[in-house]
Amino acid sequence: MKTGPIAGAAGIGSTLNVIVAAVVGAAAATALTVGGVNAAKGDQKPVAQSKLSQYSEK
Amino acid sequence: MAKPRTYRTDLAWSALLTLAITGPLLLGSGYWLVGDMVFVPHQPWKSAWLGLDGSLPRAVPMDAIVSVLTQVVPGSVVQRAFLVGALVLGGIGIGRLVHERAWYARAAAIGIFLWNPWVHDHLQIGQWAILCGYLALPWVALAARRYRRDVRSGWAPVAVALTVSAVCSPSSGVMAVAVVAVLGLRWSWPAWPVLAVLSVVANLPWLLPSLLARSSTVTTDGVFELFAPRAESSLGVLPSLVTLGGTWKSSIVAGERTSAVVVGLAVALTLAALLGAVRRGRRGPAAEEVRRLALLAAGALVVASVPALGGAGLLEWLGDRVAAVALLRDAHRFLGPAALLLAVGLASAVAWAREQVAPGRESLWAVAGLLVVAPMLLLPSLAWGAGDLERSTYPADWRTVADQIGAAQEATTIVLPWAGSYRTFDWADDRAVLDPAPRYLPGEVLIDDRTFVDGVEIDSEDPRVGDVTLALEASTPVDAARELRSLGVTWVLVEQGQADQAVPAGRTVHDGEDLVLLDLRTTTDPGADPEPVRSATRTSHGGYAALVITGHVGAFVLLIGASGRILRRGSNRRHSSRR
């Protein structure tokens, strides 16, 4: 049978777990979504043949 | 000493990450040809590979090593061996640096060291040798650790680490010296002079040709500003730099790095690593090393950020007076050593998160897990060929032309269009790549070595380029051919599909879809000089060639001697442990 303080500690622990899980999940989801979308954009364009090739070009 | 199982785990994780990065290269034939990364099937031997031709030794002696290796195995195999081998060994090395940590903490260290914007950018920019030098840094740090404990037993690993780094590139050699100096030195008598001697001898292969390169000059006008690190996102340049990004070459920046959210999260990851480093640096046997790593990282950040934070003018002023300052032109590469601190710190942070796991706080496992995978989540573009690197295969024209030139006794070739040293070939995915001709073709090959960056022209380093430019500006093709012959040029290679340019008069010996080869030795020009064309080979080193070769021999002897000493000590240790 749980005593009051122990039950309280368990409740705090449970809350902490939820908070940490939410923060970790949000960070991972944000990185995945924003990073993935930007990475998939593929907005790099090939260099036109008609002009000089420059070291600064992809 | 780390257990064998430790190595196996690190090897497996490093190999997995390496496969995730280089997979497309490994799954078929061909080459990654991008930026400065040029491998050819068989790279003919030239004195230039040892820095004997008077040019600036940008890839000395790495070109010599590649040339020798491609006499035995194809260049495509050499490229794969260098990239895969360096990435795997780099991962294992960083694992050894934190060998006392649990596997997941080591995995975090390996992850952030192999999977970060610095690696992405240098792969995309094609600076594979500098990438190899970066991946050697953990081994340099390990050697420095031994050197700090005992100079007598530590000098051999330091000698090997410094020599291997110097082979990769001059800047890698300099970075390795800095790493050993910061991590490995104590205020004791033999440590400083021994390191000074080892540093000089290890770097002689590129140092001597640099000092003796009379015919070539390096320009510093405006280059520090041009190659200064740049902000990738709206957060500015510093957040980019502290997360190992910020290359000057904006066109190759990973798409996600342009997002302030992603860079912001990467800054949070850096902060986590720094907190881990602070915790590790407070107490324990590793505390001093972490403090030294922090000093090293701070120095790297300063060097990398100076040009971006208004110091380009100062560097240019210094460069006008001390030519060696030109080595700092591409400041972003000097950020590499900072990754050592981030790796060690992140391993500590993951270990801390794991220690906090207790009943009611099980979710902290997720924090540890997130820190391990965060480098990959924040830079998905590095996966599978750094985003979009595709394999290329040289058209048959290249082999044909190389054979034709190789069959001639004298060969000085110029490559047209005479418009900078970078090309975009449709067979190479239309990427800007350093002209492969000097490495593919035998004999001396002159290219227009002016570099164009964002429309700004960086002057040529080779005085003969100006002469060829003037010759090509002659009023008629016949006059141009005559001028070129007087400069010693025997062949003209025209790369098709590039910018149009008038071609000198010469006999066409190959007219292919990709390459056209003209022979200037035979001409119908009535005014042509009947005498054979004179040699255009640089002789600037003259009597100094012996000195340059002595430098190579010195570094080689140091490498072999130090390696032998390490092997003997290892063998003796095994024998004594059996007794």
Side-chain angles (χ1 to χ4, degrees):
Chain A
M1 185 179 169
K2 288 179 181 176
T3 62
I6 291 175
I12 292 169
S14 175
T15 308
L16 183 68
N17 270 337
V18 170
I19 292 170
V20 170
V23 170
V24 168
T30 306
L32 267 176
T33 309
V34 180
V37 167
N38 280 289
K41 269 184 184 170
D43 56 354
Q44 316 279 12
K45 295 181 181 61
V47 179
Q49 291 284 359
S50 56
K51 61 176 184 173
L52 294 180
S53 306
Q54 298 201 17
Y55 188 28
S56 49
E57 285 163 352
K58 186 176 172 68
Chain B
M1 195 171 168
K3 298 170 188 169
R5 192 175 170 184
T6 304
Y7 298 145
R8 282 200 293 272
T9 315
D10 294 350
L11 171 64
W13 180 234
S14 302
L16 185 66
L17 293 178
T18 300
L19 184 65
I21 295 170
T22 61
L25 181 65
L26 303 178
L27 292 180
S29 59
Y31 302 82
W32 270 353
L33 296 175
V34 56
D36 296 331
M37 182 148 50
V38 175
F39 283 87
V40 298
H42 300 288
Q43 188 169 322
W45 178 261
K46 301 179 186 185
S47 61
W49 304 154
L50 288 178
L52 296 171
D53 68 336
S55 61
L56 288 172
R58 293 195 184 284
V60 173
M62 186 56 100
D63 262 333
I65 292 170
V66 172
S67 176
V68 169
L69 290 175
T70 58
Q71 309 307 312
V72 184
V73 291
S76 56
V77 176
V78 175
Q79 182 182 42
R80 285 159 176 76
F82 268 115
L83 289 178
V84 171
L87 282 163
V88 171
L89 287 174
I92 294 173
I94 205 74
R96 289 192 71 165
L97 207 56
V98 290
H99 67 86
E100 73 284 4
R101 295 293 189 191
W103 66 268
Y104 42 84
R106 296 200 310 278
I110 293 169
I112 197 170
F113 190 73
L114 296 187
W115 203 288
N116 62 58
W118 197 99
V119 173
H120 173 275
D121 296 348
H122 282 80
L123 205 51
Q124 279 275 355
I125 210 170
Q127 293 180 343
W128 66 273
I130 290 169
L131 179 61
C132 289
Y134 163 86
L135 294 165
L137 285 177
W139 297 95
V140 177
L142 284 164
R145 180 186 283 175
R146 282 187 69 174
Y147 193 74
R148 190 172 70 247
R149 288 176 187 158
D150 180 14
V151 174
R152 286 179 62 186
S153 68
W155 75 265
V158 164
V160 172
L162 290 180
T163 311
V164 169
S165 300
V167 163
C168 292
S169 75
S171 50
S172 303
V174 170
M175 273 189 270
V177 170
V179 169
V180 177
V182 175
L183 299 185
L185 281 180
R186 288 180 303 154
W187 294 110
S188 59
W189 152 241
W192 282 88
V194 170
L195 178 60
V197 171
L198 294 179
S199 301
V200 170
V201 176
N203 286 281
L204 281 178
W206 66 267
L207 208 51
L208 282 174
S210 299
L211 295 171
L212 301 171
R214 289 179 178 172
S215 69
S216 298
T217 53
V218 61
T219 179
T220 55
D221 290 345
V223 296
F224 295 104
E225 180 121 29
L226 212 52
F227 290 103
R230 301 179 189 182
E232 299 161 299
S233 72
S234 57
L235 292 185
V237 69
L238 270 181
S240 284
L241 287 173
V242 299
T243 53
L244 302 178
T247 178
W248 64 269
K249 192 168 181 175
S250 305
S251 62
I252 54 96
V253 168
E256 61 270 30
R257 292 286 300 181
T258 60
S259 159
V261 175
V262 170
V263 175
L265 287 170
V267 170
L269 183 66
T270 294
L271 286 176
L274 292 180
L275 287 173
V278 168
R279 179 172 172 267
R280 192 175 163 88
R282 275 191 187 146
R283 59 184 180 278
E288 185 188 349
E289 184 172 271
V290 172
R291 285 197 288 271
R292 287 172 180 250
L293 279 170
L295 181 65
L296 182 70
L301 184 62
V302 168
V303 171
S305 58
V306 161
L309 300 177
L314 174 67
L315 287 170
E316 196 169 321
W317 181 83
L318 281 171
D320 287 340
R321 285 150 184 82
V322 184
V325 175
L327 202 63
L328 302 176
R329 183 174 88 164
D330 181 357
H332 180 247
R333 69 175 59 155
F334 292 95
L335 197 56
L340 293 172
L341 177 71
L342 294 185
V344 170
L346 195 62
S348 179
V350 168
W352 175 86
R354 167 65 185 89
E355 287 166 14
Q356 304 311 307
V357 175
R361 293 188 296 186
E362 293 85 353
S363 59
L364 285 168
W365 263 117
V367 175
L370 182 64
L371 291 176
V372 174
V373 299
M376 285 64 90
L377 288 179
L378 292 169
L379 193 62
S381 282
L382 185 52
W384 215 242
D388 53 3
L389 289 181
E390 292 181 13
R391 295 188 308 277
S392 307
T393 305
Y394 287 96
D397 275 7
W398 283 85
R399 185 73 262 153
T400 305
V401 163
D403 289 342
Q404 283 176 313
I405 294 175
Q409 286 191 333
E410 53 191 35
T412 296
T413 309
I414 64 162
V415 185
L416 301 184
W418 197 251
S421 45
Y422 288 83
R423 297 284 190 258
T424 52
F425 300 108
D426 53 4
W427 51 266
D429 202 23
D430 282 330
R431 293 176 173 281
V433 61
L434 193 61
D435 197 321
R439 287 182 171 83
Y440 206 123
L441 306 181
E444 188 171 31
V445 180
L446 291 176
I447 58 172
D448 176 10
D449 68 345
R450 287 173 298 169
T451 305
F452 297 91
V453 177
D454 293 338
V456 177
E457 177 186 329
I458 300 171
D459 290 342
S460 165
E461 296 170 350
D462 187 341
R464 296 172 306 169
V465 166
D467 297 335
V468 174
T469 305
L470 285 175
L472 291 170
E473 286 171 357
S475 54
T476 67
V478 170
D479 288 341
R482 189 185 299 133
E483 291 291 322
L484 287 172
R485 274 197 301 276
S486 74
L487 293 172
V489 176
T490 48
W491 304 90
V492 176
L493 180 74
V494 183
E495 293 170 345
Q496 304 281 53
Q498 311 292 319
D500 293 333
Q501 179 168 3
V503 177
R507 185 170 67 91
T508 303
V509 293
H510 178 80
D511 189 2
E513 191 178 328
D514 297 285
L515 297 174
V516 174
L517 184 65
L518 304 174
D519 186 351
L520 293 188
R521 295 171 302 171
T522 53
T523 176
T524 54
D525 171 20
D529 186 351
E531 296 297 316
V533 288
R534 66 179 173 82
S535 171
T537 304
R538 282 184 266 213
T539 55
S540 63
H541 275 308
Y544 297 108
L547 197 55
V548 173
I549 291 172
T550 305
H552 288 291
V553 172
F556 184 72
V557 167
L558 178 65
L559 179 65
I560 297 299
S563 301
R565 184 176 169 84
I566 293 169
L567 292 174
R568 270 202 310 278
R569 284 180 64 87
S571 175
N572 291 341
R573 199 175 295 138
R574 277 195 298 279
H575 284 307
S576 58
S577 64
R578 280 181 194 153
R579 285 184 199 130

